[in-house]
Amino acid sequence: MDMNDVIGYALRIGVLISVSLIIIGFILLSITPQFSELMSPNSRFNTSVVKPEEVFRGIRKGNGVDFILLGLMALIATPVVRVVLGVIQFAMQRNIIYVIITLIVLFNLLLAIFILPLII
Protein backbone atom coordinates (compact mmCIF):
# COMPACT_ATOMS: atom_id res chain seq x y z
CA MET A 1 0.00 0.00 0.00
CA ASP A 2 1.27 3.43 -0.97
CA MET A 3 1.90 5.96 1.83
CA ASN A 4 -0.47 8.41 0.13
CA ASP A 5 -3.22 5.80 0.47
CA VAL A 6 -2.42 5.39 4.17
CA ILE A 7 -2.62 9.16 4.67
CA GLY A 8 -5.91 9.32 2.78
CA TYR A 9 -7.41 6.50 4.86
CA ALA A 10 -6.20 8.14 8.09
CA LEU A 11 -7.94 11.38 7.15
CA ARG A 12 -11.16 9.63 6.16
CA ILE A 13 -11.22 7.47 9.28
CA GLY A 14 -10.50 10.46 11.53
CA VAL A 15 -13.35 12.46 10.06
CA LEU A 16 -15.76 9.49 10.18
CA ILE A 17 -14.93 8.80 13.84
CA SER A 18 -15.35 12.47 14.68
CA VAL A 19 -18.69 12.81 12.90
CA SER A 20 -19.96 9.57 14.43
CA LEU A 21 -19.09 10.69 17.96
CA ILE A 22 -20.69 14.10 17.43
CA ILE A 23 -23.89 12.52 16.05
CA ILE A 24 -24.03 10.08 18.99
CA GLY A 25 -23.58 13.05 21.33
CA PHE A 26 -26.44 14.96 19.73
CA ILE A 27 -28.68 11.88 19.88
CA LEU A 28 -27.87 11.40 23.57
CA LEU A 29 -28.56 15.09 24.20
CA SER A 30 -31.90 14.90 22.44
CA ILE A 31 -33.15 11.96 24.54
CA THR A 32 -31.93 13.26 27.92
CA PRO A 33 -32.64 16.45 29.84
CA GLN A 34 -29.00 17.57 29.36
CA PHE A 35 -29.94 19.93 26.55
CA SER A 36 -30.39 22.73 29.09
CA GLU A 37 -26.69 22.28 29.92
CA LEU A 38 -25.84 23.72 26.51
CA MET A 39 -27.90 26.85 27.11
CA SER A 40 -26.54 27.53 30.60
CA PRO A 41 -24.09 30.45 31.06
CA ASN A 42 -21.96 27.98 33.06
CA SER A 43 -21.87 25.49 30.20
CA ARG A 44 -18.60 23.62 29.66
CA PHE A 45 -18.75 24.80 26.04
CA ASN A 46 -17.96 28.28 27.36
CA THR A 47 -14.61 27.20 28.78
CA SER A 48 -11.37 27.49 26.88
CA VAL A 49 -9.76 24.36 28.32
CA VAL A 50 -11.54 21.05 28.80
CA LYS A 51 -9.61 18.33 30.58
CA PRO A 52 -9.59 15.08 28.58
CA GLU A 53 -10.02 12.98 31.73
CA GLU A 54 -13.34 14.75 32.39
CA VAL A 55 -14.45 13.96 28.86
CA PHE A 56 -13.56 10.26 29.25
CA ARG A 57 -15.39 10.11 32.60
CA GLY A 58 -18.44 11.64 30.94
CA ILE A 59 -18.26 9.16 28.05
CA ARG A 60 -18.50 6.28 30.53
CA LYS A 61 -21.63 7.91 31.95
CA GLY A 62 -23.16 8.35 28.50
CA ASN A 63 -23.01 12.15 28.62
CA GLY A 64 -23.91 13.55 25.20
CA VAL A 65 -21.85 16.71 25.67
CA ASP A 66 -18.75 14.62 26.32
CA PHE A 67 -19.36 12.56 23.18
CA ILE A 68 -19.48 15.81 21.21
CA LEU A 69 -16.29 17.03 22.86
CA LEU A 70 -14.54 13.71 22.13
CA GLY A 71 -15.65 14.01 18.51
CA LEU A 72 -14.15 17.49 18.36
CA MET A 73 -10.94 16.20 19.94
CA ALA A 74 -10.79 13.48 17.27
CA LEU A 75 -11.35 16.10 14.58
CA ILE A 76 -8.47 18.18 15.95
CA ALA A 77 -6.23 15.10 16.17
CA THR A 78 -6.83 14.14 12.52
CA PRO A 79 -4.49 16.74 10.95
CA VAL A 80 -1.87 15.97 13.61
CA VAL A 81 -1.94 12.31 12.53
CA ARG A 82 -1.62 13.44 8.92
CA VAL A 83 1.50 15.48 9.74
CA VAL A 84 3.04 12.55 11.66
CA LEU A 85 2.38 10.31 8.66
CA GLY A 86 3.97 12.98 6.46
CA VAL A 87 7.14 12.84 8.57
CA ILE A 88 7.19 9.06 8.14
CA GLN A 89 6.58 9.37 4.40
CA PHE A 90 9.42 11.86 3.90
CA ALA A 91 11.74 9.79 6.10
CA MET A 92 11.02 6.71 3.96
CA GLN A 93 11.90 8.79 0.90
CA ARG A 94 15.07 10.00 2.70
CA ASN A 95 14.05 13.60 2.02
CA ILE A 96 15.72 15.26 5.01
CA ILE A 97 14.66 18.82 4.15
CA TYR A 98 10.97 17.89 4.10
CA VAL A 99 11.35 15.79 7.25
CA ILE A 100 12.73 18.85 9.04
CA ILE A 101 10.03 21.16 7.63
CA THR A 102 7.28 18.70 8.57
CA LEU A 103 8.72 18.27 12.07
CA ILE A 104 8.60 22.06 12.46
CA VAL A 105 4.93 22.01 11.38
CA LEU A 106 4.26 19.20 13.88
CA PHE A 107 6.00 21.17 16.63
CA ASN A 108 3.88 24.24 15.81
CA LEU A 109 0.67 22.21 15.85
CA LEU A 110 1.46 20.60 19.20
CA LEU A 111 2.52 23.95 20.63
CA ALA A 112 -0.77 25.52 19.54
CA ILE A 113 -2.85 22.63 20.87
CA PHE A 114 -1.16 21.94 24.21
CA ILE A 115 1.01 24.89 25.29
CA LEU A 116 -0.66 28.09 24.03
CA PRO A 117 -4.01 27.39 25.77
CA LEU A 118 -2.14 27.20 29.08
CA ILE A 119 -0.48 30.56 28.45
CA ILE A 120 -3.49 32.46 27.13
Side-chain angles (χ1 to χ4, degrees), residues 8-79:
Y9 287 129
L11 292 173
R12 286 185 202 110
I13 290 169
V15 170
L16 288 174
I17 289 171
S18 173
V19 168
S20 299
L21 288 167
I22 292 170
I23 290 171
I24 290 169
F26 277 118
I27 291 170
L28 288 172
L29 278 176
S30 69
I31 61 174
T32 61
Q34 295 173 340
F35 187 73
S36 62
E37 182 180 345
L38 290 174
M39 301 306 170
S40 168
N42 299 324
S43 172
R44 289 186 7 212
F45 280 103
N46 293 336
T47 62
S48 59
V49 178
V50 176
K51 296 180 181 175
E53 56 269 10
E54 291 177 14
V55 173
F56 293 122
R57 257 187 263 125
I59 292 289
R60 283 187 232 121
K61 296 176 185 176
N63 186 343
V65 172
D66 290 310
F67 271 93
I68 293 170
L69 290 173
L70 185 61
L72 293 174
M73 289 166 55
L75 189 62
I76 291 169
T78 301

Side-chain angles (χ1 to χ4, degrees), residues 84-105:
V84 169
L85 291 173
V87 170
I88 294 168
Q89 179 183 24
F90 293 130
M92 288 171 51
Q93 295 172 353
R94 301 192 194 290
N95 192 334
I96 301 302
I97 297 296
Y98 280 103
V99 168
I100 292 169
I101 291 170
T102 311
L103 283 172
I104 292 170
V105 170

